[in-house]
Amino acid sequence: MTLSRFFRMGACSALLLTLAACATPTQAPDYTAFRSAKPRSILILPPVNHTHDVNASNGLVAQMTQPLAEGGYYVVPVTVEMETFRQNGLDTPDDIAQVSAPKLQSIFGADAALYTTVTAYGSVYHVVSSDTVVTASTKLIDLKTGSVLWSGTGTASGRDLGDRPAAGGGVIGMLVSAAVNQAVNNLTDESFSVSRITAERLLRVGPPDGLLYGPRSVKYGTD
Protein backbone atom coordinates (compact mmCIF):
# COMPACT_ATOMS: atom_id res chain seq x y z
CA MET A 1 0.00 0.00 0.00
CA THR A 2 1.41 3.40 -0.98
CA LEU A 3 1.73 6.14 1.62
CA SER A 4 -0.71 8.43 -0.21
CA ARG A 5 -3.34 5.68 -0.35
CA PHE A 6 -2.86 5.02 3.37
CA PHE A 7 -3.53 8.66 4.19
CA ARG A 8 -6.59 8.73 1.90
CA MET A 9 -8.06 5.69 3.65
CA GLY A 10 -7.36 7.29 7.03
CA ALA A 11 -9.11 10.48 5.99
CA CYS A 12 -12.14 8.54 4.75
CA SER A 13 -12.34 6.60 8.01
CA ALA A 14 -12.20 9.81 10.02
CA LEU A 15 -14.98 11.29 7.89
CA LEU A 16 -17.18 8.23 8.36
CA LEU A 17 -16.66 8.34 12.13
CA THR A 18 -17.58 12.03 12.18
CA LEU A 19 -20.76 11.41 10.18
CA ALA A 20 -21.70 8.52 12.46
CA ALA A 21 -21.24 10.72 15.51
CA CYS A 22 -23.41 13.44 13.97
CA ALA A 23 -26.13 10.89 13.22
CA THR A 24 -26.30 9.67 16.81
CA PRO A 25 -29.75 10.58 18.16
CA THR A 26 -30.02 12.89 21.18
CA GLN A 27 -30.48 10.90 24.37
CA ALA A 28 -33.92 11.39 25.92
CA PRO A 29 -34.05 12.87 29.45
CA ASP A 30 -34.63 10.62 32.45
CA TYR A 31 -38.30 11.18 33.33
CA THR A 32 -38.36 8.77 36.27
CA ALA A 33 -38.64 11.48 38.95
CA PHE A 34 -41.09 13.48 36.80
CA ARG A 35 -43.45 10.53 36.36
CA SER A 36 -43.22 9.67 40.05
CA ALA A 37 -44.00 13.24 41.18
CA LYS A 38 -46.90 13.75 38.72
CA PRO A 39 -47.06 17.54 39.19
CA ARG A 40 -50.45 19.07 38.49
CA SER A 41 -49.74 22.71 39.33
CA ILE A 42 -46.69 24.86 38.62
CA LEU A 43 -45.38 28.06 40.18
CA ILE A 44 -43.40 30.24 37.75
CA LEU A 45 -40.75 32.10 39.73
CA PRO A 46 -39.60 35.40 38.19
CA PRO A 47 -36.51 34.67 36.07
CA VAL A 48 -33.14 35.67 37.46
CA ASN A 49 -31.68 38.29 35.13
CA HIS A 50 -28.10 37.79 33.95
CA THR A 51 -28.35 40.47 31.24
CA HIS A 52 -27.94 44.25 31.18
CA ASP A 53 -31.61 44.86 30.32
CA VAL A 54 -33.73 45.57 33.41
CA ASN A 55 -36.85 44.41 31.52
CA ALA A 56 -35.58 40.88 30.90
CA SER A 57 -37.23 39.15 33.87
CA ASN A 58 -40.65 40.74 33.46
CA GLY A 59 -40.53 40.43 29.68
CA LEU A 60 -40.00 36.68 29.77
CA VAL A 61 -42.19 35.74 32.74
CA ALA A 62 -45.15 37.43 31.05
CA GLN A 63 -44.89 34.86 28.24
CA MET A 64 -44.38 31.69 30.29
CA THR A 65 -47.90 30.89 31.47
CA GLN A 66 -49.48 30.11 28.10
CA PRO A 67 -47.25 27.19 26.98
CA LEU A 68 -47.62 25.53 30.39
CA ALA A 69 -51.40 25.99 30.45
CA GLU A 70 -51.70 24.65 26.92
CA GLY A 71 -49.53 21.71 27.98
CA GLY A 72 -52.09 20.68 30.58
CA TYR A 73 -50.91 22.32 33.82
CA TYR A 74 -52.56 24.66 36.28
CA VAL A 75 -50.31 27.70 36.63
CA VAL A 76 -50.38 29.86 39.74
CA PRO A 77 -51.35 33.38 38.52
CA VAL A 78 -48.16 35.39 38.22
CA THR A 79 -49.75 38.65 39.42
CA VAL A 80 -51.04 36.97 42.59
CA GLU A 81 -47.66 35.35 43.16
CA MET A 82 -45.70 38.60 42.77
CA GLU A 83 -48.04 40.51 45.07
CA THR A 84 -47.62 37.80 47.70
CA PHE A 85 -43.84 38.09 47.47
CA ARG A 86 -44.00 41.89 47.73
CA GLN A 87 -46.19 41.67 50.80
CA ASN A 88 -43.45 39.54 52.36
CA GLY A 89 -40.62 41.92 51.47
CA LEU A 90 -39.31 40.00 48.46
CA ASP A 91 -38.98 42.29 45.46
CA THR A 92 -36.20 40.81 43.31
CA PRO A 93 -35.93 37.50 41.43
CA ASP A 94 -32.61 36.78 43.14
CA ASP A 95 -34.18 37.04 46.61
CA ILE A 96 -37.23 35.01 45.60
CA ALA A 97 -35.02 32.22 44.22
CA GLN A 98 -33.53 31.80 47.70
CA VAL A 99 -36.88 30.89 49.31
CA SER A 100 -36.89 27.20 50.21
CA ALA A 101 -38.99 24.76 48.21
CA PRO A 102 -41.06 23.63 51.25
CA LYS A 103 -41.82 27.28 52.08
CA LEU A 104 -43.02 27.96 48.52
CA GLN A 105 -45.17 24.84 48.65
CA SER A 106 -46.76 25.87 51.95
CA ILE A 107 -47.57 29.37 50.67
CA PHE A 108 -48.82 28.62 47.17
CA GLY A 109 -49.79 24.95 47.34
CA ALA A 110 -48.13 24.23 44.00
CA ASP A 111 -46.58 20.86 43.23
CA ALA A 112 -43.55 22.20 41.36
CA ALA A 113 -41.80 25.46 40.53
CA LEU A 114 -39.81 26.74 37.56
CA TYR A 115 -36.45 28.32 38.35
CA THR A 116 -35.37 30.27 35.27
CA THR A 117 -32.31 32.31 34.26
CA VAL A 118 -32.24 34.80 31.38
CA THR A 119 -28.79 35.02 29.77
CA ALA A 120 -29.57 37.15 26.70
CA TYR A 121 -32.25 39.79 26.19
CA GLY A 122 -32.32 42.67 23.75
CA SER A 123 -30.90 44.09 20.55
CA VAL A 124 -27.30 43.55 19.52
CA TYR A 125 -25.61 45.73 16.91
CA HIS A 126 -22.75 44.13 14.98
CA VAL A 127 -21.81 46.95 12.54
CA VAL A 128 -23.32 45.26 9.46
CA SER A 129 -26.12 43.40 11.19
CA SER A 130 -28.55 43.90 14.04
CA ASP A 131 -30.82 41.45 15.78
CA THR A 132 -32.79 40.88 18.96
CA VAL A 133 -31.97 37.77 20.98
CA VAL A 134 -33.66 36.23 24.03
CA THR A 135 -32.11 33.14 25.63
CA ALA A 136 -33.03 31.38 28.86
CA SER A 137 -32.66 28.12 30.77
CA THR A 138 -34.98 26.61 33.35
CA LYS A 139 -35.39 23.79 35.86
CA LEU A 140 -38.64 22.27 37.14
CA ILE A 141 -38.24 21.55 40.85
CA ASP A 142 -40.46 19.32 42.98
CA LEU A 143 -41.53 21.56 45.86
CA LYS A 144 -42.08 18.60 48.17
CA THR A 145 -38.65 17.04 47.77
CA GLY A 146 -36.52 19.72 46.14
CA SER A 147 -35.47 17.33 43.37
CA VAL A 148 -35.05 18.36 39.73
CA LEU A 149 -37.82 16.89 37.58
CA TRP A 150 -36.83 18.39 34.23
CA SER A 151 -34.61 21.06 32.70
CA GLY A 152 -34.68 22.88 29.39
CA THR A 153 -33.28 25.75 27.35
CA GLY A 154 -34.77 28.05 24.76
CA THR A 155 -33.57 30.82 22.48
CA ALA A 156 -35.05 32.94 19.71
CA SER A 157 -34.15 36.01 17.71
CA GLY A 158 -35.90 38.74 15.79
CA ARG A 159 -35.39 36.73 12.62
CA ASP A 160 -37.86 34.19 13.97
CA LEU A 161 -40.57 36.86 13.77
CA GLY A 162 -40.22 37.09 9.99
CA ASP A 163 -40.70 40.14 7.78
CA ARG A 164 -37.13 41.31 8.19
CA PRO A 165 -36.11 43.94 5.61
CA ALA A 166 -33.54 42.67 3.14
CA ALA A 167 -30.23 44.47 2.93
CA GLY A 168 -29.21 45.76 -0.48
CA GLY A 169 -26.52 47.96 -1.94
CA GLY A 170 -23.50 46.06 -0.65
CA VAL A 171 -21.79 47.10 2.58
CA ILE A 172 -23.48 50.51 2.66
CA GLY A 173 -26.87 48.83 2.31
CA MET A 174 -26.09 46.42 5.14
CA LEU A 175 -24.96 49.28 7.39
CA VAL A 176 -28.14 51.22 6.74
CA SER A 177 -30.31 48.13 7.22
CA ALA A 178 -28.58 47.30 10.51
CA ALA A 179 -29.06 50.85 11.79
CA VAL A 180 -32.73 50.86 10.79
CA ASN A 181 -33.36 47.47 12.40
CA GLN A 182 -31.67 48.63 15.60
CA ALA A 183 -33.83 51.75 15.77
CA VAL A 184 -37.03 49.83 15.08
CA ASN A 185 -36.15 47.17 17.66
CA ASN A 186 -35.58 49.81 20.33
CA LEU A 187 -38.76 51.73 19.53
CA THR A 188 -41.05 48.71 19.39
CA ASP A 189 -39.40 46.66 22.17
CA GLU A 190 -39.02 43.68 19.88
CA SER A 191 -37.53 41.71 22.78
CA PHE A 192 -41.01 41.22 24.23
CA SER A 193 -42.24 39.61 21.01
CA VAL A 194 -39.13 37.45 20.74
CA SER A 195 -39.67 36.37 24.36
CA ARG A 196 -42.90 34.67 23.31
CA ILE A 197 -41.03 32.37 20.92
CA THR A 198 -38.30 31.77 23.49
CA ALA A 199 -40.89 30.80 26.10
CA GLU A 200 -42.54 28.37 23.67
CA ARG A 201 -39.21 26.70 22.98
CA LEU A 202 -38.11 26.82 26.60
CA LEU A 203 -41.32 25.22 27.90
CA ARG A 204 -42.00 22.86 25.04
CA VAL A 205 -44.27 19.97 25.99
CA GLY A 206 -44.02 16.48 24.55
CA PRO A 207 -41.39 14.23 22.93
CA PRO A 208 -38.53 13.96 22.49
CA ASP A 209 -37.19 16.08 25.36
CA GLY A 210 -39.94 18.46 26.48
CA LEU A 211 -42.05 18.56 29.61
CA LEU A 212 -44.43 15.66 30.06
CA TYR A 213 -48.05 16.44 29.23
CA GLY A 214 -49.98 17.79 32.21
CA PRO A 215 -53.15 16.22 33.67
CA ARG A 216 -55.40 18.72 31.89
CA SER A 217 -54.10 17.69 28.47
CA VAL A 218 -55.89 15.11 26.34
CA LYS A 219 -52.43 13.63 25.73
CA TYR A 220 -51.76 13.11 29.45
CA GLY A 221 -50.00 9.80 30.04
CA THR A 222 -49.24 9.18 26.36
CA ASP A 223 -45.60 10.20 26.70
Side-chain angles (χ1 to χ4, degrees):
M1 179 185 297
T2 64
L3 188 61
S4 60
R5 183 180 179 188
F6 173 80
F7 281 120
R8 285 198 301 271
M9 292 180 65
C12 289
S13 298
L15 178 60
L16 290 173
L17 288 173
T18 301
L19 292 174
C22 293
T24 302
T26 304
Q27 184 176 0
D30 183 355
Y31 290 107
T32 303
F34 201 144
R35 290 193 173 95
S36 177
K38 296 180 179 179
R40 304 179 63 87
S41 55
I42 295 178
L43 176 71
I44 304 174
L45 297 182
V48 173
N49 185 9
H50 284 182
T51 78
H52 297 296
D53 194 319
V54 296
N55 298 314
S57 183
N58 289 336
L60 182 60
V61 76
Q63 309 282 3
M64 295 173 68
T65 295
Q66 184 171 341
L68 290 174
E70 291 178 347
Y73 293 95
Y74 170 77
V75 181
V76 176
V78 174
T79 52
V80 174
E81 167 198 339
M82 295 306 297
E83 181 60 28
T84 301
F85 283 130
R86 277 192 288 268
Q87 292 293 332
N88 286 275
L90 298 172
D91 297 315
T92 69
D94 297 82
D95 291 337
I96 292 171
Q98 300 305 313
V99 180
S100 68
K103 185 67 173 178
L104 292 173
Q105 204 280 329
S106 67
I107 294 174
F108 296 101
D111 298 318
L114 279 171
Y115 290 73
T116 307
T117 300
V118 188
T119 54
Y121 190 95
S123 299
V124 180
Y125 184 53
H126 295 299
V127 182
V128 295
S129 66
S130 178
D131 203 1
T132 301
V133 178
V134 178
T135 303
S137 60
T138 192
K139 290 183 179 180
L140 184 68
I141 304 296
D142 187 335
L143 292 182
K144 297 183 181 70
T145 65
S147 61
V148 178
L149 303 181
W150 175 85
S151 61
T153 59
T155 187
S157 73
R159 300 181 186 281
D160 293 311
L161 298 174
D163 299 324
R164 308 287 290 192
V171 175
I172 299 299
M174 288 189 290
L175 288 170
V176 172
S177 178
V180 170
N181 285 340
Q182 181 77 3
V184 171
N185 294 349
N186 291 334
L187 288 173
T188 61
D189 191 14
E190 189 177 57
S191 300
F192 188 77
S193 299
V194 175
S195 291
R196 175 182 55 80
I197 301 175
T198 298
E200 291 172 353
R201 294 173 177 175
L202 178 69
L203 302 175
R204 57 196 177 277
V205 179
D209 57 358
L211 289 152
L212 297 180
Y213 290 107
R216 299 183 178 210
S217 171
V218 294
K219 296 182 179 180
Y220 182 57
T222 62
D223 48 9

